[in-house]
């Protein structure tokens, strides 16, 4: 069993994850509590080993500050991400640091129910942790599920939603904590949120993955509400492709900018005969090898797709003024080319006055954790979910008010 926290303690832990350290007075101000009111929750967190209560001298006369910090070994979260041909594991602590990482070759394409090899790795990842130190665990994958109920509707890398739910249940029984589920592309954005020191305290970020997954963060929070923007993006016309797609996100980009589309076009596979499952690693590796060898046809496919993707991202940023665009995946040389195309698209927009406002173009960069970001973000997102649940017990409206107050003070 994991350590239990009440709602006030959960808010304090979340504030410390965000700021690194705070004084007792600062915590009291953010919570709207007196020094006496903060003593009980801080003492409980200290006794449970989650925080340290130190002292820091202040300039001039007066008593020293009591500085509150999260401990390195007070709480942990385990994150798993299921991908087409492997499962990644990451163990993180409450300081948002990766403690362990492992990648295991595994494929869920059949209806097999023997997950013992993966469950054994999960046990190994948490072996040796202090008693009750595993706070939560998370599972992410590509698919669809209801955010509130976590009912799995569709999956891309499992054989069926039932198989995904079975694995989740067995994982929870193995590690002894609840296992919330997250979208894999959201997990990457969560990792960026907590691990990138260059991001502002409450970032507004657009994340794009190599499978054309798109995730938004507004003022430090995932933007998961059902809004019309996915439909709008699905109808965007891409300039370098004649392909038309009546579907939603990512619309016509599916036929021009994904690595699956590049492999299909390279192999001369017609749209009607294209497989619904992700390509084998050998096909993708061969395509990237030809890119490195400057094969003319592959160069043309990738360049066309990168330009289409850049145009769509530029148009999306006209609607949502993002501070940063982060791209994840691809091999390094293709990723760098895609980043360049996106930057060039913004430069061109500014020169031709496509931007009607005065806001600067967003910073365009690669994700800082690379392939480890999926599992790391899943673990960090599971912590967010668990703490937010506790905060909701105090009242979602009140918790939102506290965090909004904290954002304004920052």
């Amino acid at each position: 069993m994991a350590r239990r926290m009440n709602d006030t303690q959960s808010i304090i832990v979340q504030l410390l994850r965000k700021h690194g350290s705070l004084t007792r007075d600062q915590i009291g101000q953010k919570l709207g509590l007196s020094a006496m009111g903060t003593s009980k929750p801080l003492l409980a967190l200290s006794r449970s080993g989650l925080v340290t209560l130190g002292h820091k001298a202040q300039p001039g006369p007066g008593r020293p500050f009591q500085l509150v910090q999260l401990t390195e070994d007070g709480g942990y979260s385990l994150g798993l991400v299921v991908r087409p041909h492997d499962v990644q594991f990451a163990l993180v602590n409450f300081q948002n640091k990766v403690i362990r990482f492992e990648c295991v070759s595994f494929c869920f394409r059949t209806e097999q129910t023997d997950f013992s090899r993966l469950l054994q790795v999960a046990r190994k990842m948490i072996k040796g942790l202090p008693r009750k130190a595993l706070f939560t665990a998370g599972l992410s994958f590509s698919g669809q599920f209801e955010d509130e109920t976590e009912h799995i509707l569709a999956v891309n890398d499992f054989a069926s939603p039932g198989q995904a739910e079975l694995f989740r249940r067995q994982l929870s029984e193995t590690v002894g904590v609840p296992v919330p589920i997250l979208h894999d592309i959201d997990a990457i954005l969560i990792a960026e949120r907590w691990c990138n020191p260059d991001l502002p305290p409450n970032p507004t970020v657009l994340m794009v993955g190599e499978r054309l997954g798109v995730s938004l963060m507004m003022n430090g929070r995932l933007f998961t509400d059902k809004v019309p923007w996915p439909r709008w993006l699905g109808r965007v016309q891409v300039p370098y492709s004649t392909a038309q797609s009546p579907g939603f996100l990512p619309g016509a980009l599916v036929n021009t900018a994904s690595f699956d589309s590049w492999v299909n076009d390279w192999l001369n596979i017609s749209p009607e005969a294209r497989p619904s499952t992700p390509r084998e690693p050998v096909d993708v590796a061969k395509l990237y090898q030809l890119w490195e060898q400057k094969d003319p046809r592959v160069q043309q496919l990738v360049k066309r797709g990168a330009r289409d993707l850049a145009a769509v991202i530029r148009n999306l940023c006209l609607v949502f003024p993002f501070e940063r665009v982060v791209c994840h995946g691809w091999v390094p040389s293709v990723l760098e080319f895609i980043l360049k195309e996106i930057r060039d698209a913004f430069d061109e927009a500014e020169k031709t006055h496509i931007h009607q406002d005065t806001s600067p173009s967003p910073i365009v960069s690669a994700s800082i954790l690379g392939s480890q970001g999926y599992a790391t973000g899943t673990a960090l997102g599971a912590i967010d979910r668990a703490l937010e649940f506790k905060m909701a017990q105090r009242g979602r409206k009140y918790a939102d008010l506290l965090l909004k107050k904290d954002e304004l003070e920052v």
Side-chain angles (χ1 to χ4, degrees):
M1 288 292 293
R3 293 189 177 105
R4 293 185 177 181
M5 285 186 278
N6 63 26
D7 49 349
T8 304
Q9 294 166 12
S10 298
I11 297 173
I12 292 174
V13 169
Q14 196 73 322
L15 289 173
L16 292 173
R17 289 179 69 210
K18 182 176 179 180
H19 296 287
S21 63
L22 292 168
T23 66
R24 179 193 288 264
D25 290 343
Q26 288 172 329
I27 292 174
Q29 291 172 2
K30 293 179 184 298
L31 293 176
L33 299 174
S34 65
M36 184 67 69
T38 61
S39 295
K40 187 174 180 180
L42 287 176
L43 185 59
L45 289 171
S46 176
R47 286 175 175 171
S48 67
L50 280 168
V51 305
T52 58
L53 305 177
H55 290 85
K56 181 180 179 181
Q58 62 177 334
R63 294 184 301 174
F65 295 118
Q66 184 166 49
L67 195 64
V68 184
Q69 294 177 301
L70 290 167
T71 60
E72 289 190 4
D73 58 356
Y76 296 86
S77 177
L78 178 66
L80 284 77
V81 58
V82 174
R83 307 200 305 171
H85 305 283
D86 58 50
V87 178
Q88 294 182 350
F89 300 73
L91 183 71
V92 305
N93 65 9
F94 272 23
Q95 294 180 343
N96 308 318
K97 296 179 181 178
V98 181
I99 307 301
R100 298 168 193 162
F101 178 84
E102 187 161 342
C103 181
V104 179
S105 296
F106 196 89
C107 183
F108 284 91
R109 288 185 182 176
T110 64
E111 284 286 357
Q112 61 174 314
T113 57
D114 182 9
F115 312 129
S116 56
R117 186 158 65 96
L118 297 177
L119 300 177
Q120 184 178 4
V121 175
R123 291 190 195 95
K124 184 180 74 172
M125 294 290 288
I126 64 176
K127 185 177 181 181
L129 294 184
R131 183 172 176 267
K132 295 185 178 181
L134 185 67
F135 180 66
T136 188
L139 174 67
S140 67
F141 51 84
S142 174
Q144 298 178 17
F145 56 86
E146 296 174 349
D147 289 319
E148 293 185 1
T149 65
E150 295 191 339
H151 176 65
I152 302 173
L153 304 175
V155 290
N156 294 327
D157 299 325
F158 285 97
S160 66
Q163 186 193 50
E165 185 56 51
L166 177 62
F167 176 64
R168 177 193 181 194
R169 185 167 63 250
Q170 291 188 14
L171 177 63
S172 178
E173 294 171 354
T174 298
V175 299
V177 293
V179 178
I181 55 177
L182 300 91
H183 293 288
D184 55 356
I185 195 67
D186 286 346
I188 288 286
L189 187 46
I190 292 169
E192 198 78 12
R193 161 76 176 87
W194 287 113
C195 301
N196 189 340
D198 294 332
L199 285 181
N202 303 291
T204 297
V205 184
L206 168 68
M207 173 72 73
V208 181
E210 66 182 358
R211 293 171 77 174
L212 301 186
V214 174
S215 183
L216 312 182
M217 183 168 282
M218 299 293 187
N219 296 320
R221 299 189 186 182
L222 284 174
F223 196 60
T224 57
D225 295 334
K226 292 180 173 60
V227 292
W229 72 266
R231 290 172 176 260
W232 173 85
L233 182 57
R235 290 194 290 268
V236 166
Q237 297 303 307
V238 292
Y240 295 94
S241 173
T242 58
Q244 300 293 318
S245 175
F248 297 150
L249 178 70
L253 284 176
V254 167
N255 298 311
T256 181
S258 70
F259 65 79
D260 276 343
S261 71
W262 298 339
V263 173
N264 289 329
D265 290 340
W266 164 55
L267 295 176
N268 292 318
I269 299 177
S270 65
E272 297 78 16
R274 291 181 177 181
S276 58
T277 56
R279 279 291 174 186
E280 293 291 339
V282 63
D283 291 333
V284 179
K286 180 62 176 177
L287 178 99
Y288 286 145
Q289 182 183 5
L290 290 173
W291 162 267
E292 297 288 350
Q293 295 172 355
K294 300 188 183 303
D295 178 87
R297 188 172 178 210
V298 172
Q299 292 267 312
Q300 181 184 13
L301 290 172
V302 175
K303 289 179 179 179
R304 183 189 67 188
R307 288 167 184 165
D308 283 344
L309 180 60
V312 171
I313 290 175
R314 178 200 64 199
N315 293 342
L316 183 57
C317 290
L318 294 176
V319 180
F320 295 91
F322 293 104
E323 299 166 305
R324 185 178 295 247
V325 175
V326 179
C327 293
H328 173 270
W330 299 280
V331 295
S333 59
V334 173
L335 176 58
E336 187 55 42
F337 182 80
I338 288 172
L339 293 173
K340 179 181 180 301
E341 288 295 323
I342 297 172
R343 295 184 188 113
D344 289 348
F346 283 117
D347 290 342
E348 180 184 359
E350 290 183 351
K351 291 177 182 177
T352 57
H353 304 288
I354 293 178
H355 278 107
Q356 298 299 317
D357 56 30
T358 58
S359 60
S361 295
I363 297 173
V364 180
S365 63
S367 61
I368 63 168
L369 291 179
S371 63
Q372 293 191 16
Y374 281 118
T376 300
T378 303
L380 295 169
I383 297 176
D384 291 339
R385 290 281 183 91
L387 294 178
E388 287 170 2
F389 176 76
K390 284 293 184 182
M391 290 157 66
Q393 290 182 330
R394 184 170 188 168
R396 166 62 69 180
K397 184 176 181 181
Y398 180 62
D400 284 346
L401 180 64
L402 290 176
L403 292 177
K404 184 176 182 180
K405 178 183 177 184
D406 176 53
E407 292 168 4
L408 292 174
E409 290 176 353
V410 171

